[in-house]
Amino acid sequence: MALTENRPFPLGRMLLYAACAPILLLLVLPTLIIVPMALTKGQLIQFPPIWISIHSFTDYLADETWVSSTIVSFKISILAVVIGATAGSFAAIGLHKRDFPGRNIVAGLILAPIIIPGIVLALGDFLLLAPMHLIGSWTTIAILHALLVTPYVFISVQTSLTVGLSPTLIRSARSLGAGRLAVLRFVHWPAIRPGLLAGAVLGFAVSFDEVVLALFMQGSTTVTLPVRMFQAIEYDLTPKIMAAASLFIALALLGLTVQALTAKRARPA
Amino acid sequence: MSAPRRLEVNEVWKSYGGDLYAVRDVSFVLEPGEFLTLLGPSGSGKTTTLMMIAGFETVSRGSIRIDGRDIADQSPEHRNFGIVFQGYALFPHMNVAENVAFPLRMKGMGKRERLIKAAEMLEKVGLEGFAQRRPHELSGGQQQRVALSRALVFDPDALLLDEPLGALDRKLREQLQIEIKELQKRIGISVLLVTHDQEEAMMMSDRIAVMADGGIVQMGTPADVYLHPATPFVAGFLGETNFLPGLCQGASEGYVSVKFRNGEIGRARPPRFGGVPATGDKALVSIRPERVRILKPGETMDSVIEGRVVSGTFLGRHARYIVEAEGQQVVVSTTEWSEATAVPPGTAVRLGWSSDDAQSLADVKV
């Protein structure tokens, strides 16, 4: 192992890099051109952009419809994460090391929303909720997004529990006088925290840029940011789209940073 | 420190449904300040018994009492036992002081007071400088001491130890055995230990209850169960022994006479239970290797049999002879050994033992 790494030109490694580089470029390039395109002087999206102005950002912040879409998106994603994180965590705790008939069916149902094609889910929900006049409300979208967040939290909390929770730890806490709530707080909570955070960050990302459900459920006052961008692409090609896209990139970077920092802290010395 | 209490386990059974019993008719009393060990192989029901006392397993039949009060309906958090589990089970996100103070916190004690009590407890186990460390920063032995402190800090009715030293290496294990025993005497707490390690049980206990197949086979002081085992299982489980089969030739003066395969007759203590076997019944005598002697010419003992030395090995602390006698191999262990007096293989010898050191066994399926 050490020998291979010390060789000046390990052929295998060079080939690996050569194969990976174009794939990596293809993955990152679309993201890299977003911010420069947002900095254009022009009134339309174009490549290459006409350097350099921040008018797309100021226009975006001055436009009431764009701002309200941004706020709606945040409201939806935050509520979806709160519901999904709670449901996903409790589901993971409830199913941890339990065996009962139908356990796999329950786990399958929890995971179903991310396995079923989005368009099928959206259509089904639309047909179900339209007669009940629930379309067009941001809470409806949030609750449906919570269905998408739950599996991600469920999976990551499940992993945390497998790593960090032993039945002996629970017994130990109980023998020391901890009731059910205290066990939840002092044994389960510290064990699930890293998984909960990772799942919540991922879940927020999934909800924030979800288009299909948001499109089906939209109302006059509940157009989420990605839906607004989608429609703007069709009608006016305004650089505000690029400003909004920059926001998505910033959020993604923030989420990754938070995760990297907490993962480092959680690792035992 | 509050006075320890009397723990009484009374005709306790545990079944997981059907006729299969994990624990059958177990009764014992853990007297205040006593160190009692449940010793047995895996599957003997010892851990299940401990878990029923702790409240993690329900009792199918029988009662468990503290000072006469039945605790069967109390959940584990309302019972008052300090338990040290296999693998320590310390809270990884709390430091040592917080771990030890945890049971006091659960009892609603204020932060200052409980940290003071935790510090006092840590001092007793020699960990005063480690309060701020996290469990993963400690060695196995130190973690064990933290677990012990945490189980003792809240004045429990008794200390329950579930194979607490299983994960440690031999040397550290012996050191901790002495420390635990010493701490137990100093604090005056009752201890119930569960282990499969017979040396650990002998070293630490006031009394040992040997378990097999869910029940207690024999209970007594370490010397009593070691020297006077009741059954072949107990004799074999607690160290090495010689089993000599034969036929009972009658009983007299509190001993039984057994006629071995070669027609020689030896005397032994009568079985611990089941009564004295009738003349002509099959008998099995157990004699520890260190209780059998190779007799010098002219020397005699209560029981003497003849044999021939097969091999002699010097092992440092003692020497070990294998002697062919009564159609089988008899192991003789002795500390009297020198190059000059060693008995060479092939020598005809006489083996002897005192009738009090030989134990006729009950429950013999020959």
Side-chain angles (χ1 to χ4, degrees), chain B residues 35-295:
Chain B
F35 198 123
L36 177 67
T37 294
L38 302 181
L39 173 68
S42 61
S44 61
K46 57 190 194 304
T47 298
T48 310
T49 304
L50 191 84
M51 288 301 144
M52 283 193 284
I53 296 169
F56 295 114
E57 294 276 4
T58 55
V59 174
S60 304
R61 245 192 285 163
S63 67
I64 295 170
R65 294 168 188 279
I66 285 286
D67 281 352
R69 179 174 44 89
D70 197 331
I71 57 168
D73 292 337
Q74 286 181 346
S75 56
E77 59 268 30
H78 294 121
R79 300 185 188 194
N80 194 34
F81 295 117
I83 308 176
V84 176
F85 293 90
Q86 205 170 0
Y88 326 121
L90 299 175
F91 302 120
H93 61 287
M94 295 183 193
N95 66 30
V96 166
E98 287 165 344
N99 260 287
V100 177
F102 183 80
L104 304 173
R105 183 176 184 180
M106 291 299 104
K107 285 189 159 49
M109 189 184 282
K111 188 170 185 176
R112 246 182 72 88
E113 203 184 343
R114 67 177 188 250
L115 285 177
I116 290 171
K117 279 202 81 171
E120 285 171 6
M121 194 64 231
L122 284 171
E123 210 181 308
K124 279 182 195 163
V125 297
L127 283 179
E128 47 270 45
F130 294 83
Q132 300 308 315
R133 302 274 187 94
R134 292 282 174 121
H136 69 258
E137 297 169 320
L138 302 179
S139 71
Q142 288 166 337
Q143 291 186 33
Q144 186 55 67
R145 290 192 191 107
V146 175
L148 207 57
S149 308
R150 189 180 62 174
L152 285 170
V153 74
F154 59 102
D155 292 347
D157 294 341
L159 186 62
L160 311 181
L161 307 175
D162 183 13
E163 305 259 7
L165 306 172
L168 303 171
D169 65 67
R170 192 188 165 90
K171 202 160 185 177
L172 185 57
R173 203 160 64 214
E174 282 172 5
Q175 185 195 333
L176 277 167
Q177 284 166 4
I178 297 167
E179 276 182 35
I180 292 173
K181 185 74 191 157
E182 197 264 338
L183 187 69
Q184 181 245 346
K185 277 185 191 151
R186 195 146 40 99
I187 295 181
I189 185 141
S190 327
V191 179
L192 183 64
L193 168 73
V194 159
T195 185
H196 64 272
D197 181 338
Q198 47 101 6
E199 277 183 43
E200 185 170 300
M202 301 251 258
M203 147 97 221
M204 299 176 84
S205 322
D206 297 321
R207 280 192 304 155
I208 295 174
V210 184
M211 293 188 71
D213 299 327
I216 292 178
V217 185
Q218 188 180 1
M219 185 153 51
T221 63
D224 185 51
V225 278
Y226 179 79
L227 292 175
H228 305 296
T231 68
F233 170 77
V234 176
F237 195 71
L238 277 99
E240 195 181 17
T241 198
N242 294 300
F243 289 115
L244 296 176
L247 296 174
C248 185
Q249 291 291 297
S252 65
E253 299 157 36
Y255 297 99
V256 291
S257 296
V258 177
K259 186 178 183 182
F260 299 120
R261 285 186 188 135
N262 286 4
E264 290 165 312
I265 291 177
R267 293 214 304 164
R269 285 205 176 189
R272 300 297 300 268
F273 54 75
V276 178
T279 304
D281 277 0
K282 280 174 178 170
L284 187 65
V285 173
S286 159
I287 315 159
R288 299 288 177 193
E290 68 277 11
R291 300 279 161 168
V292 186
R293 295 191 46 210
I294 295 177
L295 299 179

Side-chain angles (χ1 to χ4, degrees), chain B residues 348-359:
Chain B
V349 290
R350 291 179 308 130
L351 302 178
W353 66 83
S354 151
S355 309
D356 275 321
D357 289 336
Q359 179 64 50

Side-chain angles (χ1 to χ4, degrees), chain A residues 123-135 217:
Chain A
L123 194 61
D125 284 329
F126 183 81
L127 294 175
L128 178 75
L129 297 173
M132 299 159 81
H133 306 291
L134 289 172
I135 309 294
M217 300 297 151

